[in-house]
Amino acid sequence: MDMEQQLNINGHAGAAVSNTEAIIEVKNLQKGFDKVPVLRDLSLQLFENENLVVLGKSGSGKSVLIKCMVRLLIADSGSIHIFGKNVQEMNERELAEVRVKIGFLFQSGALYDSMTIKENLEFPLIRIKKHLSRKEIDEKIEEALHNVGLSDTINKMPSQLSGGMRKRASLARTIVVDPMIMLYDEPTTGLDPVTSDEISILINNVKKTYNTSSIIITHDIECARATGDRVIMLDKGEVYMEGSIEEFEQSTDALIQSFFKIRQPSSTKAQTHHG
Amino acid sequence: MKAIRPVLKRIPKLPSVKTQAIKISDNAIKKTQLTTRFFREIGEFYLFGWLTFRATFSRSFEFKEFLRQCFQVGNKTLPLISLTGLVIGLVLTIQSRPILADFGATSMLPGMVAVSIIREMGPVVTALICCGKIGSGMGAELGSMKVSEQIDAMEVSSTNPMRYLVVPRVLAATLMIPVLVLYADALGILGSWVGANIKGDVTFALFFTQAFRSIGFSDFLPAVIKTFFFGAAIGFVGCYKGFTAGRGTESVGKAANQSVVLASVFVILIDLIAVQITDMLY
Ligand SMILES: Nc1ncnc2c1ncn2[C@@H]1O[C@H](COP(=O)(O)OP(=O)(O)OP(=O)(O)O)[C@@H](O)[C@H]1O
Ligand SMILES: [Mg+2]
């Protein structure tokens, strides 16, 4: 089965490989906590202007994977190259340079509690884009909040927002600095279907407008369908399958079916509703 | 044959000896784990200290955040410190008056109370209150930031959290606690005057002159210098405990609690050292 899947992937990604090079290249990554391995021998690539969806059961190490990419966690072994440079071996200045180019949406949102939404967005903006004028900063903030549908919460504190609003606000904080690589950790979890769809559209728009490459971690198959150019399934700390959404949906593998089929009824319902 | 029997009888006891041995080795492992954790903690403490030191003397300084923290430190503790300062002065006066009266030395009352407030009571009591209010506040605030990944978020948006969070807090505590101590001293002397007026009649001016006549440079300076160290210790311990909080919400409470304990221990140790040094110098 593995061979077949492998072939599928190469068939699918072949076009992308030939004319672009990997922006992020993870090779044989291993990471464990207190001797319990979480990621074992994980390899993947992210190509230019591509949305890569990462699926996997809860606790399979998806968040750990992207945290290793920005060196919030230090891998035990293996390598992560971003723009051709090994993240593990960078000094602080190089690391800061790379981090500026990466937008990171935390699973928990991670909004700064002590600041208003506006200050939350301003915080990375004035530190990363130092040349902007006051007016440009305000405009960018308004635009980003408008994109996530939160224009009227600009002066509220995070504690005054609902869970979904916090998630969107932190998405706005991530995109406001126009990063070249986006790492979304479950961007649509906890959102209603309508807002989820809007977020998926937003993710696609970000990709189109700024030519970003993104890794989208999600459990939301609708979001994966809407945004994913390529899908990777993690299991037990390794890549279980890699391919296009269609290949995943047609797969006869039990684990993959369980991921896709459970949600089937709700998606058909949604379709009939639309129709 | 008979001699062997008791020996055979004893054989089934062997497993219990074994479990004993296993228990002992379990204990040994636990103890080694505790010791390694202890040493790791000391290592982390030093590393955090070094990083804070380095961040303090780096080029960019978060001045706005520093002012905000100064305000926080003052604002949080002012009511409590005012009350304690006044009451300490008052109580010290009321309690020492009878003893001094026995010796016919009530005129020494202002001086004695002022010296004890400025040398010891003011600094230590204020610092211990700050351990409770400021140390725990910083521990809890940074701990919750750590748990909810806000510190990570700062780090990936190319802001050094040591520079943005720790340095302003440590400096604010270092500079504000001496100010608060002076304020508490002043209120203590005021309270003492009130106490002196309960039984007797002293004008404030007279009381004040008497009090300050007995305070020398050698009382004042070491007392002020040690308060800077108190402040630094409180700010640093609060930040350290917050930053090294574990995962999960319960570690926020733990961080706050441990900040208070550790900061209080530091304050008392620093006081002890300061007394020794002053004693040697004067
Ligand atoms: N900082 C850490 N310290 C110790 N263990 C950790 C840490 N971070 C993650 N883990 C462990 O690593 C494993 C994978 O965690 P991770 O957060 O990557 O899961 P996930 O795939 O993102 O799951 P979910 O879909 O629920 O978010 C979990 O078992 C978790 O307990
Ligand atoms: Mg996760």
Side-chain angles (χ1 to χ4, degrees), chain B:
Chain B
M1 203 42 196
K2 260 185 185 174
I4 292 171
R5 260 218 181 121
V7 177
L8 281 178
K9 260 188 187 168
R10 236 170 252 152
I11 286 175
K13 276 194 177 170
L14 263 176
S16 82
V17 174
K18 247 188 208 165
T19 43
Q20 204 69 29
I22 289 170
K23 263 184 200 158
I24 290 169
S25 68
D26 256 6
N27 268 345
I29 288 172
K30 260 181 210 152
K31 272 183 191 149
T32 17
Q33 277 173 346
L34 270 182
T35 356
T36 42
R37 206 192 302 155
F38 177 72
F39 281 114
R40 199 192 303 153
E41 174 117 11
I42 289 184
E44 267 180 1
F45 193 78
Y46 273 106
L47 182 67
F48 193 79
W50 163 240
L51 288 177
T52 311
F53 183 80
R54 220 179 50 174
T56 310
F57 295 99
S58 68
R59 267 167 300 148
S60 53
F61 180 65
E62 300 281 348
F63 195 69
K64 223 173 107 185
E65 183 64 13
F66 168 70
L67 287 184
R68 204 172 74 87
Q69 288 306 324
C70 284
F71 175 74
Q72 289 269 330
V73 169
N75 192 31
K76 264 188 192 161
T77 50
L78 210 58
L80 193 54
I81 285 179
S82 312
L83 184 70
T84 342
L86 264 175
V87 171
I88 283 177
L90 191 77
V91 168
L92 270 182
T93 312
I94 294 174
Q95 294 208 334
S96 11
R97 182 197 276 281
I99 304 168
L100 288 180
D102 280 351
F103 294 103
T106 22
S107 63
M108 282 173 67
L109 188 64
M112 204 201 81
V113 172
V115 167
S116 59
I117 285 178
I118 284 178
R119 272 195 168 183
E120 195 59 29
M121 296 305 282
V124 172
V125 171
T126 311
L128 288 178
I129 288 177
C130 289
C131 289
K133 284 290 283 186
I134 296 169
S136 72
M138 287 178 181
E141 191 189 2
L142 295 189
S144 76
M145 287 185 80
K146 167 88 184 187
V147 169
S148 60
E149 298 181 313
Q150 292 174 49
I151 292 181
D152 286 346
M154 236 170 233
E155 209 170 321
V156 293
S157 60
S158 67
T159 304
N160 183 346
M162 298 297 291
R163 211 175 290 155
Y164 184 80
L165 296 173
V166 178
V167 172
R169 278 177 175 74
V170 175
L171 285 185
T174 312
L175 292 183
M176 286 305 286
I177 284 171
V179 175
L180 288 171
V181 168
L182 290 181
Y183 170 75
D185 288 350
L187 279 183
I189 291 171
L190 186 68
S192 168
W193 172 66
V194 174
N197 264 329
I198 291 175
K199 281 187 191 167
D201 192 16
V202 212
T203 63
F204 187 65
L206 179 64
F207 186 86
F208 205 70
T209 355
Q210 276 186 348
F212 272 79
R213 196 181 296 144
S214 44
I215 299 170
F217 197 59
S218 61
D219 297 313
F220 194 67
L221 192 67
V224 170
I225 291 175
K226 77 179 170 192
T227 57
F228 283 97
F229 287 94
F230 288 167
I234 291 168
F236 181 75
V237 168
C239 291
Y240 166 72
K241 280 292 170 193
F243 250 67
T244 49
R247 287 148 52 82
T249 23
E250 99 281 4
S251 44
V252 177
K254 249 189 222 161
N257 193 344
Q258 289 175 351
S259 308
V260 180
V261 176
L262 194 60
S264 310
V265 170
F266 268 90
V267 164
I268 287 162
L269 285 182
I270 291 171
D271 194 45
L272 192 67
I273 296 168
V275 165
Q276 297 292 329
I277 294 175
T278 348
D279 206 39
M280 277 193 302
L281 288 182
Y282 294 100

Side-chain angles (χ1 to χ4, degrees), chain A residues 267-275:
Chain A
S267 73
T268 33
K269 234 183 258 165
Q271 272 162 14
T272 47
H273 181 75
H274 275 296

Side-chain angles (χ1 to χ4, degrees), chain A residues 31-34 36-39 56-67 73 107 185-186 217-219 234, chain B residues 149 247:
Chain A
K31 173 74 187 167
F33 296 99
D34 297 326
V36 181
V38 174
L39 301 176
K57 275 195 288 196
S58 182
S60 58
K62 305 180 297 296
S63 301
V64 169
L65 167 67
I66 58 170
K67 280 185 186 165
L73 293 172
Q107 188 168 358
D185 200 342
E186 307 196 0
I217 292 175
T218 187
H219 298 294
L234 295 191
Chain B
E149 298 181 313
R247 287 148 52 82

